[in-house]
Amino acid sequence: MNRVRLIIFNAALGPLDYKVPEGMAVEFGSVVVAPLGPRQIIGVVWDPERLPADEVPEAKLRPILEILPVPPLRPELRRLIEWTADYYCAPLASVARMVLSSGGAMRGPSTMTEYRLTGGMPERMTPQREIAMELLEGEQATIRELAEIAGVSDGVLRGLVGQGVLEPVQVDIDRPYPRADAGHATVDLSAEQKKVSDILVAAVKAGTFAPYLLDGVTGSGKTETYFEPMAAALENDRQVLVLLPEIALTEAFLRRFEQRFGAPPIVWHSSLKSTERRRAWRAIASGEAQVVVGARSALFLPYANLGLIVVDEAHETSFKQDDGVRYNARDVAVMRARFEKIPVVLASATPALESLQMAESGIYEKLDLPSRFGGATLPSIATIDLTEQKPERGRWLAPELVEALTDRLEKGEQSLLFLNRRGYAPLTLCRNCGFRFQCPNCSAWLVEHRFSQRLSCHHCGHETHPPDTCPECGEPDCLVACGPGVERIADEVSEILPGARVAVVTSDTLNSPEKAAEFVAQAEAKEIDVIVGTQLVTKGFHFPELTLVGVVDADLGLEGGDLRAAERTYQQVAQVAGRAGRGSKPGEVLIQTRHTDAPVIAALAAGDRDAFYEAETEARRSAGAPPFGRWAAIIVSSEDENEAKEAARAIGGSQPRVEDVMILGPAPAPMALLRGRYRYRLLINARRSAQVQDVIRKWLGGLQFPRGVRIAVDIDPYSFV
Ligand code: ADP
Ligand code: ZN
């Protein structure tokens, strides 16, 4: 090739052609550095026939500068990038960037310098030095990363290096990972599990595209079951990708994986250190990495020879990314498997309606694990009608639930209370004048966090200290907390059961793998009597002594009123119920609600999953909602309210008339202000067969907006705020 077309890492620019210097061996997929104006930019060599661009005369082409030392992106991955960009209306460059997500992996030496404490003391101690030395105990990382951990400037740490308090260590970044052994510690599967795993193992060996929906009740041993096809892939020297919805869950997964395969898998998530990132990226691209466990971003890595993808807890909405490229990792995982011609397993105890529908129509094969492993029974479920059984004033737990908690504590068994609200109280107001604390950047109340003594916004992170007097009327000591969060429930438990050891489990308290591991160890050692947690505790955990689950407010999720509210409530409550009675002792679940006859609550209480899914399916069908029709959203935002409004109006005014496509709005978004930006939304509802993406591209492609306006297109949206 003497002329190539590149996707360059600038989302605003389309593909550009370049000249290939004499003797440089580029191929499709090569990652290269090219000049762009006075700068240099990374690009990927693309198949020109798939990427129309303006024809530039030979003489005007500038030469590529160098090929980066990484394997070229394989055609399967290039097709996935194209598909993702096309389907989600995103720039190719933005999708390609998710593949090349480790700058360090592209170049540089294979060793690097990290620093660690020597144990020595500086000649002169300063407060900053003291704090840094305390926080860096046991850490080893680059100066930049250590500075971040310690919350001090690079300069402070360089000073400590000069004093011999920190010492440099040369690390081989790309040192090999321990090998997983397919036969390390095999388990005997139950007959039910074996049937499923045999099918999956055969699919891995066959090496063709095959999507499976693994529908297994909580505690049925889905993990053990999909470990077998993973082992089969390892034996064939094929890589495996396991996607998990939350980093907090990886900890438990890592331990189980290591028990079974004798070595930990490779972990991938957004908060890896740059060296870990580079090492993992290169091992994945070279094929050395055997099993990768990660959050959704692991999906776009350049696997050399992928043999199987597993999406665990596949119903989870966190697989949907809500900024940048707004993709759904569950759906893209299936597409990736298709391009790679390999099996993909979507595992869940409460599959998404979309996935069930795919199974129904024969596109996915459904595999069932209908009973718990080892003879454990599913818990009994009952509702507590809060309109009849009122908690005491200022309290949130009804007498029946309090009684059940007391009983478990006396028996030495564990309980779990679920409330999907972080902090102490969702709203703080002034008793005197009614003033409510609101976020200055978002249409949202500030949430009181009593542990950290802050009022904080859960959308933008804005924080203040609760003042002593009302900012509006100046009255002292007049602020009241309204409504419960998990911290408040934990206080209530401590008051009712003074002897109980209570743990609050949220993303605030379990914010690192170490803390997650510590929590699991404490719960397993029975050092915790009552766990009070958000959706973080609804899945993955396996505590045999946990026999009572209380759902503090099952109506909470239904209030939002978005398309999937009922489904999400069903999934969350069924998942958290699944934490009870996983050992030899039977479990009990008590659901507090004001709507005992709401279909979703009634189905939960009756343990009638099919009834719920049937009713929900009918409701969606008649509303033309997914999976029967499709939704898309256009979100217009600007820091200037008027500008956002005008842009939204311009979009609304030029809306196309297309058969089978209905356009609603523009209207102010429910979150009309978010992170300082004013927001308007248009919603598009279309038949499945309509080419929504083409309609949107054509529609928006003809419009021009001021610089400050951002237009985001969200295909198959999950968030309607
Ligand atoms: P699920 O993910 O379906 O909720 P898990 O995979 O967590 O279920 O399994 C529940 C528990 O049963 C785990 O502790 C797991 O180790 C155990 N288990 C499941 N299957 C087997 C098996 N075949 N042999 C031994 N233990 C098993
Ligand atoms: Zn905010």
Side-chain angles (χ1 to χ4, degrees), residues 216-220 222 313 349-350 372 376-381 416 537-544 546-549 551 570-583 587-589 604:
V217 297
T218 54
S220 57
K222 292 185 284 297
E313 311 286 359
T350 52
R372 280 190 158 176
T377 49
L378 283 165
S380 67
I381 302 183
L416 164 63
V537 292
T538 58
K539 50 197 173 275
F541 294 113
H542 179 77
F543 302 134
L546 201 158
T547 57
L548 172 69
V549 165
V551 178
Y570 185 85
Q571 288 165 336
Q572 274 183 351
V573 176
Q575 290 285 345
V576 72
R579 297 312 108 201
R582 292 169 75 92
E588 179 183 12
V589 180
L604 280 163

Side-chain angles (χ1 to χ4, degrees), residues 439 442 457 460:
C439 176
C442 305
C457 171
C460 71

Side-chain angles (χ1 to χ4, degrees), residues 488-712:
R488 196 169 197 176
I489 300 299
D491 275 8
E492 183 172 336
V493 172
S494 297
E495 278 166 33
I496 300 168
L497 307 169
R501 295 160 299 178
V502 184
V504 173
V505 179
T506 70
S507 53
D508 301 314
T509 62
L510 241 59
N511 52 13
S512 71
E514 293 76 32
K515 290 204 177 133
E518 197 180 318
F519 162 66
V520 170
Q522 279 187 332
E524 282 176 350
K526 291 182 68 176
E527 289 162 17
I528 300 173
D529 300 309
V530 183
I531 301 166
V532 185
T534 57
Q535 49 84 28
L536 205 59
V537 292
T538 58
K539 50 197 173 275
F541 294 113
H542 179 77
F543 302 134
E545 292 297 322
L546 201 158
T547 57
L548 172 69
V549 165
V551 178
V552 176
D553 186 352
D555 309 333
L556 202 57
L558 292 173
E559 284 159 11
D562 84 52
L563 159 68
R564 294 182 179 82
E567 182 185 11
R568 207 167 307 165
T569 298
Y570 185 85
Q571 288 165 336
Q572 274 183 351
V573 176
Q575 290 285 345
V576 72
R579 297 312 108 201
R582 292 169 75 92
S584 51
K585 296 170 192 151
E588 179 183 12
V589 180
L590 295 172
I591 303 173
Q592 299 197 137
T593 172
R594 268 164 250 96
H595 306 287
T596 45
D597 45 3
V600 42
I601 306 289
L604 280 163
D608 194 348
R609 190 180 105 155
D610 292 346
F612 169 73
Y613 275 115
E614 270 163 33
E616 186 65 13
T617 302
E618 271 329 297
R620 298 266 190 102
R621 198 194 299 274
S622 62
F628 304 102
R630 52 190 346 157
W631 286 99
I634 299 173
I635 304 128
V636 184
S637 70
S638 166
E639 287 177 13
D640 181 311
E641 187 169 11
N642 229 0
E643 201 174 73
K645 193 177 190 172
E646 286 306 316
R649 223 182 249 161
I651 294 176
S654 62
Q655 59 177 268
R657 271 177 223 298
V658 185
E659 211 180 323
D660 296 339
V661 176
M662 187 170 66
I663 297 164
L664 309 166
M671 289 285 289
L673 179 65
L674 181 62
R675 293 182 209 100
R677 300 183 70 86
Y678 293 89
R679 304 165 76 244
Y680 283 78
R681 290 181 73 97
L682 293 102
L683 272 174
I684 298 144
N685 185 211
R687 282 195 196 228
R688 268 228 87 77
S689 55
Q691 299 298 314
V692 182
Q693 289 90 340
D694 287 342
V695 171
I696 294 175
R697 262 190 291 269
K698 227 160 112 213
W699 174 12
L700 297 181
L703 298 172
Q704 295 259 312
F705 303 101
R707 274 188 146 269
V709 171
R710 227 180 272 157
I711 311 284

Side-chain angles (χ1 to χ4, degrees), residues 271-285:
S271 46
L272 288 182
K273 292 195 297 179
S274 62
T275 42
E276 294 168 331
R277 225 176 160 70
R278 171 196 155 110
R279 183 181 176 205
W281 196 95
R282 292 186 72 91
I284 288 163

